[in-house]
Amino acid sequence: MQAENGNKIKTRVFRISEENFDVILDKAAAIIRRGGIVAFPTETVYGLGADGLDPEAVRKIFEAKERPPGNPLSLLVHSREDLGKVAKNIPEKAFRLMDAFWPGPLTIVLEKNDIVPGITSGNLPSIGLRMPDHRIPLELIKRAGTPLAAPSANLSGKPSPSLAAHVLADLTGRIDAVIDGGGAAIGLESTVVDMTVEPPVVLRPGAVGIDELERVIGKVRPAYGETEARNGGAMPEKKAGQKYSHYAPDAQVVLVEGEMKKVSKKIDALLENYRREGKKVGLLLSDETAGFFASERLSAYECFLLGSHEEPEEAARRLFEGLRVLDMKSLDVILADGSFSPSGLGTALLNRLREAASVRHAV
Ligand code: TXA
Ligand code: MG
C-alpha cells in the first residue's frame, strides 16, 4: 500500500508469463481491491491503474504521478456491461465507434454518471472511456470488479512509458506494483474523441486516424494544433487550449519539420551553430535523414534512430524510448527530425514531437 506519511513504498515487479499469469493477475487485482495502484501494459502505453470509483485510490494516482489536480483521468472497461453504470445519454454514434474500434486505441468521452467521483473526471461532467486491446488490463479489470482509472504510467511531464523499465524509472517507490508484460505494441497513447459535442471533437490524435473515425460517424473536428511554424522561422511552442504540458524531456527539444532533404540541411546548419555555442546536442532521426550525414559526422553525437519513413508504426513505437534514452545523456539540446509524413500514425507521431518541442522550425 502507498504510505501516507511520504515514506517510499516498496514497488513490486511482476514479470508475467503464461505459467504465472493467473497468480499474478490475482495478486494485482487484490492490490486494486485494497485501494492500491498497479501499473500494467496496454497496447498503447503502460497505464497506472486504481479503482476508478474510489476517490481515495484515485487520489493516490495523482500523488504518485504528481499530476496536476483537475487534469481528468479516463476509465478502462473490460466490456460494455459497465458502460451504463459510468456513462449516460450515450449517443448512437458512440456505439458505432465502439463497434468499429473497441477493444482498441480509442478513448471516447461521454457524459458521466454520479457514481464516477469528481476527482476521477477532474470535476468535469464527462468521462473518457476505453476498452484496451490487451489481455492483461482486460483480465485485471474483470478480476478487480471495477473500471480502472488509468492514466499513462509516467511522472507528469515525462514521456509516456512504452516499457516497464520506463515506469520503474519514474515511479519506483511511489506505486504498489508493476506488471512487466513487455513492450507496448503501439507505443503512443490512444486517440481521444469527445462525443458530448456535435460534431465530435478529436482531442488527441492516436492510432485511430481522423479519416477512420469519419468513415464511421461522419464529420469530426480536430482540436489539436496543426498550425505550422512559418518559413524557416523558429516559433515558441505553446498552444492555446493546451492546459497541461506533456512529453517534455529535460533537454530542450528543437523540432525541424518539412521535406527530408531540407530538414537534413537545416539540422546540419543548427548542429554547426550549437557546436560554436559549445552546447551538447543529441539527435533523434529517421533513417533517411541519418543517411544524409556521413557516419563520421553522426558518430560525434548521441544519436537515436526512429526507423524509416516507410514504417511510421515503428517510429511511433520507438519515439518515447528515444526521448528517454537521449534525456539520460545530460544534453542541452535534442534536435528532432520532423520529416515524417502526416498520415496514419505519422500524424500522431508529429503531434507528440510538437508537444515535446520548445522550439519548432518549418523548412
Ligand atoms: O492510451 C491511453 O489512453 C493510455 C492508456 C494507459 O490507456 N492512457 C492515457 O491516459 O494516455 P492519460 O490520462 O495520460 O491521457 C488521457 C487524456 C488526457 O489528455 C486527458 O486530458 C483526456 O484524455 N481526457 C480524459 N478524460 C477527459 C474528459 N472527460 N474530457 C476531456 N479530455 C479528457
Ligand atoms: Mg499521460
Side-chain angles (χ1 to χ4, degrees), residues 162 186-188 253 255-256 267 283-291 298 303-326 334-340 345-346 348-350 352-353:
S162 46
I186 295 173
L188 296 182
V253 177
L255 176 64
V256 185
I267 288 179
L283 293 162
L284 187 64
L285 300 179
S286 64
D287 292 350
E288 287 81 359
T289 300
L298 284 190
C303 185
F304 189 96
L305 295 183
L306 291 169
S308 164
H309 288 158
E310 306 296 317
E311 289 176 67
E313 298 79 18
E314 190 194 349
R317 197 158 48 234
R318 289 171 60 74
L319 175 67
F320 291 143
E321 166 77 356
L323 286 171
R324 280 178 181 266
V325 165
L326 289 174
I334 296 173
L335 266 177
D337 174 4
S339 65
F340 292 88
L345 262 174
L349 176 69
L350 285 168
R352 302 309 190 274
L353 280 168

Side-chain angles (χ1 to χ4, degrees), residues 181-257:
I186 295 173
L188 296 182
E189 312 88 337
S190 62
T191 305
V192 179
V193 61
D194 184 353
M195 297 304 294
T196 68
V197 289
E198 190 54 45
V201 171
V202 181
L203 298 170
R204 180 173 73 184
V208 177
I210 296 258
D211 48 335
E212 290 178 90
L213 293 172
E214 291 195 326
R215 242 176 274 141
V216 177
I217 56 167
K219 189 75 198 140
V220 298
R221 200 162 54 80
Y224 44 93
E226 281 299 295
T227 46
E228 307 300 328
R230 299 276 164 234
N231 293 325
M235 66 178 219
E237 170 69 356
K238 262 285 157 264
K239 297 196 298 279
Q242 181 73 47
K243 235 166 110 188
Y244 305 98
S245 78
H246 277 94
Y247 326 115
D250 293 332
Q252 182 186 42
V253 177
V254 175
L255 176 64
V256 185
E257 292 182 55

Side-chain angles (χ1 to χ4, degrees), residues 45-46 65 67 71 150-161 189 204 246-247:
V45 296
Y46 272 71
K65 279 178 60 82
R67 183 167 173 118
N71 189 357
S152 50
N154 51 289
L155 274 177
S156 193
K158 290 285 172 193
S160 288
E189 312 88 337
R204 180 173 73 184
H246 277 94
Y247 326 115

